[in-house]
Amino acid sequence: TPCTHTYFVCIAKMSLYIKNPSRNYSFRRFREYINKKQEDFKMVLEQKEMDVIKELQTQEKSCVEKYRRYKEQACDMELKNLFGKIEKLEQKHYDTLGKVLEGEVPECNCNDDDGKNYEPPVTYTQADNSEDKKTDCFLVTDCIGTEKMVSSEYNSKVFRFANAALRKLMADIQIEEQNHAEMLYKYKTANGMA
């Protein structure tokens, strides 16, 4: 596009100014021009896209709060640690969506190994019928349902965005949400709760 071409020409000219210190004043003016142009490259969201991002951000904030509370309520230390890990990942999603609202599309290197590589230790046996196990079973089952719902939200909203990089970001977050559910399900299965 012409705008992109202009940007690269500006960068090339800037390198010439750096090499020639006698153009120092011009370089400062040119740098100010480049900084202004970079602001022009920020993504501009339509109102409907902003509404979707805000809605997803509300979901993520809810997840952060749920995992924080459930981490405190869980009886098994492994489950507490798992809830703490997922809480941090959900906070990262929330922060990422905040950057999108500011016009930036952060890189999201989708982590699809967490679910596959998670192998929880066994705390509860199949025959265990303790209150601790019942409490932890309730918490983990509720979180699996939440992760399914949030993943579905990303899946249904991904094509509401015109920007391809933003669609990729949404798809990557959806995969990470599925990984959270997989880790929770593996915990539940390993501990005789399924």
Side-chain angles (χ1 to χ4, degrees):
T1 64
C3 193
T4 306
H5 174 72
T6 304
Y7 180 74
F8 287 117
V9 168
C10 290
I11 296 299
K13 287 180 180 177
M14 194 163 132
S15 68
L16 292 174
Y17 283 112
I18 293 170
K19 291 175 185 174
N20 188 347
S22 65
R23 295 182 172 174
N24 206 12
Y25 174 73
S26 298
F27 173 69
R28 277 188 302 231
R29 283 188 32 222
F30 188 73
R31 188 173 48 201
E32 290 170 5
Y33 171 77
I34 290 296
N35 289 339
K36 176 72 174 121
K37 282 295 175 190
Q38 284 177 331
E39 290 174 14
D40 294 343
F41 286 110
K42 283 194 172 190
M43 178 183 58
V44 178
L45 295 170
E46 292 181 19
Q47 185 60 47
K48 66 179 182 174
E49 293 172 321
M50 287 179 65
D51 291 344
V52 170
I53 294 294
K54 287 177 183 175
E55 184 182 329
L56 291 170
Q57 201 177 33
T58 299
Q59 296 282 349
E60 295 294 351
K61 189 67 173 170
S62 246
C63 287
V64 170
E65 182 63 21
K66 176 179 274 193
Y67 284 111
R68 186 191 61 74
R69 288 182 183 198
Y70 281 13
K71 178 177 62 178
E72 293 169 5
Q73 294 175 27
C75 302
D76 177 22
M77 189 53 71
E78 175 64 22
L79 187 56
K80 285 179 181 283
N81 292 337
L82 180 58
F83 285 159
K85 177 180 181 170
I86 297 174
E87 175 191 5
K88 289 176 185 168
L89 295 169
E90 298 291 5
Q91 182 66 51
K92 183 179 160 206
H93 293 166
Y94 177 85
D95 295 341
T96 298
L97 294 173
K99 289 179 183 175
V100 170
L101 288 173
E102 294 170 0
E104 183 184 331
V105 181
E107 286 292 319
C108 183
N109 188 6
C110 178
N111 178 359
D112 59 356
D113 289 336
D114 277 352
K116 179 174 52 175
N117 295 335
Y118 179 65
E119 294 183 25
V122 176
T123 303
Y124 303 108
T125 64
Q126 187 75 34
D128 188 345
N129 201 18
S130 67
E131 286 302 312
D132 286 356
K133 180 179 177 181
K134 289 177 185 176
T135 298
D136 286 349
C137 181
F138 171 80
L139 297 175
V140 77
T141 302
D142 184 53
C143 288
I144 290 170
T146 299
E147 292 296 344
K148 286 180 179 179
M149 190 268 306
V150 173
S151 176
S152 174
E153 288 292 310
Y154 280 98
N155 186 48
S156 67
K157 294 185 166 113
V158 70
F159 286 106
R160 293 192 184 178
F161 300 98
N163 184 298
L166 188 52
R167 288 195 306 270
K168 182 187 179 324
L169 177 70
M170 296 297 121
D172 285 352
I173 293 175
Q174 181 204 13
I175 289 169
E176 290 180 356
E177 297 292 350
Q178 291 172 352
N179 281 317
H180 302 168
E182 184 177 1
M183 289 187 292
L184 293 163
Y185 183 75
K186 282 184 172 183
Y187 173 87
K188 187 174 175 179
T189 303
N191 286 283
M193 299 173 178

